Amino acid sequence: MRATDIASELLLELSLPLVTFFLAEEVHVSGIIAVVVAGILKASRFKKITLLEAQVDTVTETVWHTVTFMLNGSVFVILGMELEMIAEPILTNPIYNPLLLLLSLIVLTFVLFVIRFIMIYGYYAYRTRRLKKKLNKYMKDMFLLTFSGVKGTVSIATILLIPSNLEQEYPLLLFLVAGVTLVSFLTGLLVLPHLSDEEEESKDYLMHIAILNEVTLELEKELEDTRNKLPLYAALDNYHGRIENLILSQENQDDQEDWAALKLLILSIESDGLEQAYEEGNISNRAYRVYQRYLKNIEQGINRKLASRLTYYFLVSLRILRFLLHEVFTLGKTFRSWKNKEQSRLRALDYDQIAELYLANTEMIIESLENLKGVYRRSLISFMQESRLRETTIISSGAFVERVINRVKPNNINEMLRGYYLERKLIFEYEEKRLITTKYAKKLRQNVNNLENYSLKEAANTLPYDMVELVRRN
């Protein structure tokens, strides 16, 4: 399929509202209503399931979301700029009673919500009768659509299109439209949080975590029969990272701050362990430099917005200061080694030293975390301990430095595709067992599709990994 075909389809779709609007204006009918009708007709047309249709739909959906966001934002920016001109003639006019105006806005907003609810109720009543389902089951959905659907963008855009010579005659109309839009927004913000089903959402997230856990278990079983384990470890890292992010996203602000604080603790232990190992001669200069890179990766993985800024910058500054002092006392040996390829190349002894240091630091970290179980939430501590122990198992694969320390990414597209296949399979099984809703299963499938598409076209540079493998073989 040529890219020009998709571009042509996209261009035609983008030009449809403009052409419709101008044609409607030429025959002296409402251009806005004509565009709405054209959009409804296009959305309700029969869709053929072809490759071109799928590719066009993927592109146009993203483009239309962007265009809609920009236009909505532009309308309200213009409204804000014109707000003073709209409100001043009303508020300064002694004819209008401010209290009566406020009451009018509330009544009009209430009528707007009632009309919208009646329309939605009628649609659901018709659908449930045809499908022979109970109407009461969808009451919450109807209320959600009632309070979340009112944006007022079309109304504001229409009012702003009034010719300037008529604006002086209709200041009250402008004020009411802007006021009703504002009140409807505020009402939605107050009501919608009480209508959302947090328990069901929490259950869905737990099932999502369970699905990802099962995928990792299946991939771990395949490690036993895999000769080159590094690509599979990279896929496992990806899934473990998704699980961690999913868990943290559901935690409250305090738990996220605790997580960042524990990350800072690990950074401190790692940094102290590295300096002690170098002072005792247990690690070479080359290995010291590589481990410093690992500490930098830890720093970048800490959310600065949640962590204590004082502690974060103190630890980062301390690490940099130690590195600079290290260079001074070694008379720039590290900088000189960068110019000498033979000296900068890691040897088998360096790999062993780094692995031993990591294991020693792991013991300290596990022990420190264990002592903090009375201070922080036990589940948070246990999860962090399990994450640390999981990485130590990579030592036996012989790919410890590349995966844990350097974070070098191999070409693991086949392993990732295997993971996506297992994920889709589990989503289907969970949906069939009614452990997740059909709506949430659809969302998960879309996420997997997006991840798979990104993985297939990812232009990740695997040259560092290829070079490391070449050096190790030689």
Side-chain angles (χ1 to χ4, degrees):
M1 192 64 62
R2 294 182 301 175
T4 52
D5 296 333
I6 301 174
S8 301
E9 290 282 342
L10 178 61
L11 184 61
L12 288 173
E13 188 163 326
L14 289 173
S15 62
L16 175 64
L18 297 175
V19 173
T20 304
F21 181 86
F22 287 116
L23 287 177
E25 290 294 322
E26 285 296 322
V27 296
H28 305 290
V29 296
S30 174
I32 293 177
I33 300 300
V35 171
V36 173
V37 172
I40 293 174
L41 291 175
K42 187 179 186 309
S44 59
R45 67 184 176 87
F46 177 75
K47 294 183 179 180
K48 296 182 292 184
I49 303 178
T50 62
L51 181 59
L52 176 61
E53 290 281 346
Q55 291 176 330
V56 170
D57 183 73
T58 301
V59 175
T60 54
E61 184 178 5
T62 304
V63 171
W64 277 119
H65 276 304
T66 305
V67 171
T68 303
F69 179 80
M70 292 174 61
L71 292 179
N72 279 333
S74 301
V75 167
F76 285 99
V77 167
I78 296 173
L79 176 64
M81 295 170 62
E82 301 289 336
L83 193 59
E84 183 180 356
M85 183 196 69
I86 294 172
E88 186 177 2
I90 300 298
L91 298 178
T92 58
N93 195 327
I95 300 176
Y96 301 110
N97 187 341
L99 185 61
L100 185 60
L101 286 173
L102 178 61
L103 182 62
S104 301
L105 292 177
I106 295 174
V107 171
L108 286 173
T109 305
F110 177 76
V111 172
L112 178 68
F113 281 124
V114 169
I115 294 174
R116 183 172 178 82
F117 178 77
I118 292 173
M119 294 173 63
I120 295 172
Y121 185 89
Y123 171 77
Y124 269 88
Y126 171 73
R127 291 285 296 175
T128 51
R129 179 175 295 181
R130 286 190 58 185
L131 299 174
K132 297 180 180 180
K133 294 183 178 180
K134 294 182 179 180
L135 182 61
N136 295 335
K137 183 180 178 181
Y138 299 96
M139 287 300 296
K140 181 173 289 187
D141 293 340
M142 287 187 277
F143 280 114
L144 282 171
L145 288 173
T146 299
F147 289 100
S148 64
V150 179
K151 293 184 175 63
T153 308
V154 176
S155 303
I156 294 174
T158 305
I159 294 301
L160 292 175
L161 288 174
I162 292 178
S164 57
N165 60 332
L166 297 179
E167 287 180 0
Q168 302 300 326
E169 301 180 18
Y170 299 105
L172 181 60
L173 182 60
L174 291 169
F175 179 82
L176 289 176
V177 171
V180 168
T181 302
L182 178 62
V183 174
S184 64
F185 264 124
L186 295 176
T187 305
L189 291 174
L190 293 173
V191 174
L192 288 175
H194 299 285
L195 293 176
S196 60
D197 195 345
E198 295 183 358
E199 292 184 2
E200 183 177 351
E201 185 178 357
S202 176
K203 178 185 175 183
D204 286 336
Y205 271 103
L206 290 175
M207 291 298 103
H208 190 189
I209 293 171
I211 290 172
L212 297 181
N213 271 324
E214 289 197 38
V215 173
T216 58
L217 291 175
E218 288 293 328
L219 293 177
E220 286 172 357
K221 290 179 182 177
E222 296 178 6
L223 278 171
E224 301 175 0
D225 303 324
T226 303
R227 186 174 182 180
N228 185 12
K229 300 181 184 297
L230 185 54
L232 198 53
Y233 271 121
L236 283 167
D237 286 348
N238 180 276
Y239 272 95
H240 287 308
R242 287 175 60 189
I243 293 172
E244 180 179 315
N245 292 333
L246 192 60
I247 292 174
L248 289 177
S249 66
Q250 296 305 299
E251 300 295 337
N252 55 40
Q253 182 77 9
D254 292 337
D255 287 337
Q256 292 184 17
E257 291 177 356
D258 289 344
W259 179 268
L262 292 172
K263 284 281 190 179
L264 288 175
L265 172 65
I266 292 177
L267 176 62
S268 176
I269 295 174
E270 289 277 19
S271 182
D272 293 340
L274 174 61
E275 296 301 325
Q276 182 179 353
Y278 186 79
E279 290 174 3
E280 295 175 355
N282 296 329
I283 191 169
S284 67
N285 195 63
R286 293 181 297 271
Y288 178 91
R289 187 177 69 253
V290 171
Y291 215 89
Q292 280 284 353
R293 192 184 311 159
Y294 165 63
L295 297 183
K296 185 178 180 181
N297 290 335
I298 295 180
E299 292 172 6
Q300 295 173 347
I302 298 174
N303 192 332
R304 302 180 191 180
K305 296 180 181 179
L306 299 173
S308 169
R309 291 189 178 182
L310 179 62
T311 306
Y312 177 82
Y313 287 113
F314 172 75
L315 290 175
V316 172
S317 302
L318 182 61
R319 184 189 67 81
I320 296 174
L321 179 62
R322 283 173 168 175
F323 178 75
L324 293 176
L325 290 175
H326 169 80
E327 291 303 313
V328 171
F329 287 119
T330 56
L331 300 177
K333 185 178 180 181
T334 301
F335 291 118
R336 291 197 304 273
S337 67
W338 290 343
K339 299 178 182 179
N340 191 327
K341 296 181 180 179
E342 186 66 29
Q343 291 184 3
S344 62
R345 182 183 299 175
L346 284 176
R347 300 171 182 172
L349 179 61
D350 298 324
Y351 281 85
D352 293 338
Q353 290 175 347
I354 292 174
E356 289 175 5
L357 173 59
Y358 188 86
L359 288 174
N361 287 346
T362 298
E363 292 181 6
M364 290 291 298
I365 290 170
I366 297 298
E367 183 179 350
S368 299
L369 292 175
E370 191 69 28
N371 295 332
L372 291 173
K373 281 190 174 179
V375 180
Y376 297 97
R377 210 173 71 180
R378 296 182 67 88
S379 59
L380 202 65
I381 296 289
S382 298
F383 181 74
M384 184 164 282
Q385 288 176 327
E386 291 172 3
S387 299
R388 181 74 183 195
L389 291 173
R390 185 173 57 247
E391 287 192 337
T392 59
T393 60
I394 306 177
I395 295 177
S396 60
S397 70
F400 176 72
V401 174
E402 287 82 359
R403 284 306 309 137
V404 178
I405 305 298
N406 287 342
R407 296 291 179 184
V408 176
K409 184 185 184 307
N411 184 5
N412 66 328
I413 183 62
N414 292 331
E415 287 73 16
M416 292 304 302
L417 292 178
R418 171 65 176 166
Y420 297 142
Y421 162 75
L422 294 172
E423 195 171 344
R424 285 194 182 92
K425 179 182 175 184
L426 289 167
I427 291 171
F428 175 79
E429 292 176 357
Y430 273 58
E431 182 186 9
E432 193 175 41
K433 296 175 183 177
R434 296 186 179 180
L435 296 174
I436 56 176
T437 61
T438 302
K439 181 180 179 181
Y440 196 72
K442 179 181 177 181
K443 177 183 176 181
L444 295 183
R445 290 190 182 98
Q446 289 174 342
N447 291 342
V448 176
N449 291 340
N450 291 333
L451 289 169
E452 186 176 64
N453 290 336
Y454 180 74
S455 298
L456 288 171
K457 67 180 180 181
E458 184 185 21
N461 184 11
T462 60
L463 180 61
Y465 168 73
D466 297 333
M467 294 298 294
V468 169
E469 284 296 300
L470 180 62
V471 169
R472 294 181 67 179
R473 289 172 184 172
N474 295 336

